[in-house]
Amino acid sequence: MKESEIQSKMIRYLEKQGYLVVKIIQTTKNGWPDIQAHKDGQTIFIEVKSPTGKVSELQHYRHQQLRNQNFNVIISSSLTHLQNELTAISKELHSQRTVSNSD
């Protein structure tokens, strides 16, 4: 499956889940992730790859920049993998909120 087809499936899924989705076509930062998904005050950056695609050194660098700012970055080549990652992030955020509410 082509990367563009995977992206389209992911975008449709994210929008059905209530995310405001932005597909990055051109930016002043080369290596920036393909998709930004915004919901409940959180932004998740998603790098979409075909099953045989590879993340470049520049993309790894950009992803680390985002992680250093406490953003979640997902690298995914399938909708199922993306769904699993979103579930894990959701559980982690819920856990953080529960801990902070008990302080």
Side-chain angles (χ1 to χ4, degrees), residues 42-82:
Q42 297 290 320
T43 298
I44 299 170
F45 293 87
I46 304 164
E47 184 67 51
V48 182
K49 290 294 177 190
S50 69
T52 58
K54 303 231 185 280
V55 178
S56 71
E57 285 186 41
L58 180 56
Q59 289 172 321
H60 279 296
Y61 173 78
R62 292 291 183 216
H63 298 169
Q64 192 56 51
Q65 281 185 310
L66 291 164
R67 288 182 178 115
N68 289 345
Q69 294 293 322
N70 294 317
F71 286 106
N72 287 295
V73 179
I74 299 171
I75 303 166
S76 186
S77 60
S78 75
L79 179 56
T80 301
H81 178 259
L82 175 67

Side-chain angles (χ1 to χ4, degrees), residues 13-31:
Y13 171 78
L14 289 163
E15 288 176 339
K16 284 182 184 176
Q17 298 305 308
Y19 285 89
L20 175 60
V21 181
V22 179
K23 181 184 177 325
I24 304 302
I25 297 170
Q26 185 174 4
T27 178
T28 58
K29 299 257 187 235
N30 292 335

Side-chain angles (χ1 to χ4, degrees), residues 6-19:
I6 298 167
Q7 277 185 15
S8 293
K9 283 185 176 187
M10 289 179 177
I11 290 169
R12 281 193 302 274
Y13 171 78
L14 289 163
E15 288 176 339
K16 284 182 184 176
Q17 298 305 308
Y19 285 89

